Amino acid sequence: WSAAAEVFKGQPMIWVYGPPGIGNSTFGAGGPKPIFTQTEAGVENLNVARFPVPTTLDEFLRNLTLVANEPHDYGTVVIDTLNGLMDLYCKAKKEEKGYDFVTFSGHSGWGGVARDIKVDLFPLLTKCQQRGMYVVILAHAGEYTRKNPFGDDLVVAPPSLPQQVWKELHGQMDASGRAAYVYTT
């Protein structure tokens, strides 16, 4: 973690995505004095500080605001997971702004949610970084096979997020990586 701080000239914002159960949360728990701002259950088996799983977007943002603004000695804030946060945004923005998730584009739907996440979330995460905290955002990965007419099929494992959201948020990260299993025999 200290090497990452040297490379990035401060604490980086890191995005890690991978299949459930691969160790994404364990990676976040490995940061200095982590606190998890959960959006779904999944870290019960880890000995980490965490907020309860929120039922609303406002509750999640209140938790993150506490981490960004109140005195504490945590060194890493972990959002576990971006997928669960998307669900909270979808629910809230559909009720609040009437976003249409059928169109999947434009100012409504996923494009609107991506912009709202950027506006709501990143100022708080930047405050955490300014306090000297590492920021880790975890997400699930999907998996599908692309047919290759010239040889072996290719297995692709992108984040399980709408493309508009992935593109908008990916550009905000200092580093991103995909967790994958490595098999040896």
Side-chain angles (χ1 to χ4, degrees), residues 157-169:
S160 293
L161 300 167
Q163 193 172 32
Q164 295 92 327
V165 174
W166 185 85
K167 284 182 176 180
E168 186 78 26
L169 302 183

Side-chain angles (χ1 to χ4, degrees), residues 1 21-31 34 36 42-43 45-46 48 80 138:
W1 291 93
I22 196 167
N24 296 328
S25 298
T26 303
F27 173 80
F36 278 66
V43 296
N45 62 332
L46 298 175
V48 294
D80 191 3
L138 305 175

